[in-house]
Amino acid sequence: MLPEPFLVRMQAMLKEEYTAFVKSYEEKECHALRLNMRKTDTGAFLEKSPFRLQRVPWTDNGFYYETEEQPGKHPYHEAGVYYIQEPSAMAPVLFLEVKPGERVLDLCAAPGGKTTQIADCMQGKGILVSNEIHPARAKILSENVERMGVLNAIVTNESPEKLATIFPAYFDKILVDAPCSGEGMFRKNDDACAEWSEENVALCADRQDEILRCAGEMLRPGGRLVYATCTFAPAEDEGTVSRFINSHPDFSIAGIKKPDGFVDGQGKWLDEPAPGIESTARLMPHKIRGEGHFFAVLERKGKGDSVCLSSRKGMEKGLPETEYREFLEFQKQCLPGFAGEGAYIKFGEQLYLAPMDTPSLKGLRVLRPGLHLGTFKKNRFEPSHALALALGSKDVCQCMYLTAGGNEVRRYLCGQALPMEGVRSAVQGDGILKGWCLVCVDGYSLGWGKAAGGMVKNHYPKGLRVQE
């Protein structure tokens, strides 16, 4: 049951389109996945895809799938080959126009769909700060960054206000996927509908004003910011953007070419619409195959490089090689194709590779300061699951190849040891598996195994193992 005050407002907004809008709620929600272009390419995946897929029209690597196919339970999901993402949610990042080597902030990043989409665009180059203010959600964000094999993400658990004091005018691109009243998710999420109220819409709009203000402070002159919500409320959409633009003369709304089915933002729903408000975009469920979304592309006037933070807090310079020699030995023996670029840093006994030119992270709550490489244990090094998911077969000396339809991959995901007999391997030297090997499913990295005595010991993390 849709809230009556919500329906009254939508009828006033949509007029003759209102009937089609309400009727769209009788239809089933759409399900989609987005391919991880660091793991595969569209052509290669479609050749062996076990799913019936239809392309999401506004993105090259997004596809609708049939609900009963359950790709979230397929081994490819655990290998980070794709991210299950609502199709409309794939749109905002496309207009951020991220390039490799840039400094990018995803300010409200959990659970990680848009962060991992940004990481795809960056191709492992540059600095991606993915932030989430709520600790439990930040943990989920970090787990998804790991599963998708992201190399250059720093996951933080901070408030926008705190980050604004640390990173003034630092980022080239910023995404603000703002917490909102969730009206666009009513068809998909019963809780969003049950928790809705006009009072919450007003509270969300106030919170969005503060978040967007902080984000603006962190964008360099000439930078680009995308503000997005999953609500229809003008107070949270055109209203939030207009209040920001009207109070920040150094920002403007950028004109964009909208895909078919995307509709213009509306100034007529506001008392003081900002110039160019019609260039914002609304995604409506009666116009497209997707849920309700809104986004706006904002640009900061001026030119110039990002502010260098080294003069104030210094940079993450990294450890001397003597401090991570066990990893270097492991790399020499097992990872001939891995060339880590950045700063090697330690958090306790954990070794990370921070992105190149990472500023000092001192004073920040950091869950993941880059790629987790592994753990130091009594004069030896044990590689992490995150490292396995960031690698390809070309990076390692030894691979164990499993197939998605075989019994072995199920046994591996359940945590069982595997016999080497009958399993294809590609190794250097005598062709016999020994020691650490990358376990792959149809060529996609899935985790680590350790071969000895005719068996491959399972190193798939216990917390991720499938129950038999």
Side-chain angles (χ1 to χ4, degrees):
M1 295 292 292
L2 297 174
E4 185 62 29
F6 165 76
L7 292 175
V8 170
R9 189 234 293 153
M10 295 305 298
Q11 186 170 22
M13 288 169 58
L14 297 178
K15 295 184 170 53
E16 65 273 9
E17 291 187 26
Y18 175 72
T19 300
F21 172 77
V22 172
K23 190 173 180 59
S24 72
Y25 283 84
E26 299 174 8
E27 300 172 3
K28 292 182 179 180
E29 63 179 283
C30 297
H31 298 274
L33 56 84
R34 176 179 47 77
L35 297 182
N36 181 355
M37 306 311 287
R38 286 199 68 254
K39 295 268 186 175
T40 189
D41 63 68
T42 302
F45 183 80
L46 291 179
E47 284 182 7
K48 57 185 172 186
S49 172
F51 316 118
R52 292 166 291 167
L53 302 176
Q54 290 184 314
R55 192 184 297 275
V56 175
W58 46 88
T59 179
D60 291 337
N61 59 334
F63 295 88
Y64 299 104
Y65 65 85
E66 300 298 324
T67 307
E68 63 272 14
E69 293 183 313
Q70 298 184 306
K73 295 183 178 181
H74 195 278
Y76 289 175
H77 181 267
E78 305 314 310
V81 180
Y82 48 75
Y83 190 101
I84 294 174
Q85 188 173 22
E86 198 281 313
S88 295
M90 299 179 190
V93 169
L94 303 176
F95 292 86
L96 196 58
E97 297 184 357
V98 172
K99 298 178 178 62
E102 292 184 321
R103 298 171 178 175
V104 185
L105 169 65
D106 186 356
L107 185 54
C108 313
K114 294 181 178 67
T115 270
T116 55
Q117 189 177 4
I118 290 169
D120 251 8
C121 301
M122 299 183 76
Q123 301 174 23
K125 305 294 184 181
I127 298 174
L128 170 57
V129 176
S130 300
N131 181 71
E132 172 57 44
I133 191 171
H134 299 289
R137 285 172 55 80
K139 184 174 183 294
I140 294 170
L141 167 65
S142 184
E143 290 169 351
N144 279 320
V145 164
E146 176 176 292
R147 181 174 62 84
M148 299 298 280
V150 177
L151 297 172
N152 59 322
I154 299 167
V155 179
T156 58
N157 171 214
E158 288 290 356
S159 69
E161 293 84 359
K162 174 68 173 292
L163 291 180
T165 66
I166 302 294
F167 297 106
Y170 178 75
F171 294 101
D172 302 299
K173 307 285 173 62
I174 297 178
L175 176 68
V176 179
D177 186 22
C180 67
S181 57
E183 295 175 359
M185 296 293 109
F186 283 175
R187 182 168 61 176
K188 181 180 178 182
N189 187 339
D190 291 339
D191 289 341
C193 191
E195 295 169 1
W196 182 90
S197 70
E198 293 175 302
E199 292 77 16
N200 190 44
V201 170
L203 287 172
C204 287
D206 288 342
R207 179 171 54 190
Q208 290 154 4
D209 288 347
E210 180 61 16
I211 292 172
L212 194 50
R213 180 192 66 79
C214 294
E217 293 178 4
M218 291 185 275
L219 189 69
R220 69 164 173 85
R224 191 176 183 93
L225 184 155
V226 170
Y227 171 82
T229 73
C230 57
T231 189
F232 304 116
E236 301 179 67
D237 293 344
E238 294 94 342
T240 298
V241 171
S242 290
R243 291 189 296 274
F244 178 79
I245 293 295
N246 290 337
S247 60
H248 291 77
D250 56 334
F251 279 81
S252 62
I253 301 172
I256 59 173
K257 183 178 180 180
K258 299 182 179 75
D260 291 344
F262 290 28
V263 298
D264 295 345
Q266 299 292 315
K268 63 186 178 184
W269 298 328
L270 308 175
D271 293 332
E272 298 182 61
I277 198 66
E278 67 282 352
S279 292
T280 62
R282 281 180 170 263
L283 285 67
M284 307 295 289
H286 64 293
K287 295 279 191 179
I288 60 165
R289 289 184 64 194
E291 305 307 316
H293 272 66
F294 168 90
F295 68 88
V297 180
L298 311 181
E299 294 178 337
R300 191 170 189 178
K301 299 174 184 176
K303 295 181 180 180
D305 296 328
S306 302
V307 170
C308 178
L309 303 183
S310 59
S311 60
R312 187 167 63 85
K313 294 192 66 176
M315 308 294 283
E316 291 289 347
K317 296 179 180 178
L319 301 167
E321 290 189 1
T322 54
E323 293 290 319
Y324 59 97
R325 61 180 179 272
E326 294 91 345
F327 170 75
L328 294 176
E329 183 61 28
F330 170 80
Q331 182 180 9
K332 180 180 178 181
Q333 293 178 359
C334 303
L335 306 179
F338 177 78
E341 295 183 355
Y344 289 87
I345 59 177
K346 285 177 71 174
F347 274 39
E349 297 304 309
Q350 307 303 315
L351 182 67
Y352 289 84
L353 182 63
M356 190 78 72
D357 298 325
T358 295
S360 173
L361 302 175
K362 185 176 181 181
L364 288 172
R365 289 194 294 268
V366 178
L367 278 71
R368 184 177 294 270
L371 176 62
H372 184 206
L373 298 174
T375 307
F376 294 104
K377 292 187 174 183
K378 296 180 179 179
N379 297 319
R380 64 183 176 88
F381 183 82
E382 185 167 302
S384 71
H385 186 58
L387 178 59
L389 292 173
L391 297 172
S393 58
K394 66 183 183 302
D395 298 316
V396 299
C397 286
Q398 301 187 139
C399 282
M400 167 177 276
Y401 290 99
L402 308 178
T403 59
N407 292 328
E408 292 90 349
V409 71
R410 178 73 180 181
R411 292 176 60 188
Y412 178 75
L413 292 174
C414 290
Q416 298 178 24
L418 299 177
M420 284 187 280
E421 182 180 356
V423 178
R424 288 196 305 118
S425 62
V427 300
Q428 294 181 352
D430 57 13
I432 300 174
L433 283 174
K434 184 179 181 181
W436 290 104
C437 61
L438 188 67
V439 179
C440 297
V441 55
D442 294 341
Y444 303 125
S445 58
L446 193 58
W448 291 111
K450 198 169 187 180
M455 298 293 290
V456 177
K457 182 180 179 181
N458 198 307
H459 280 262
Y460 196 68
K462 292 182 179 179
L464 299 178
R465 292 177 182 177
V466 177
Q467 299 297 314
E468 294 185 80

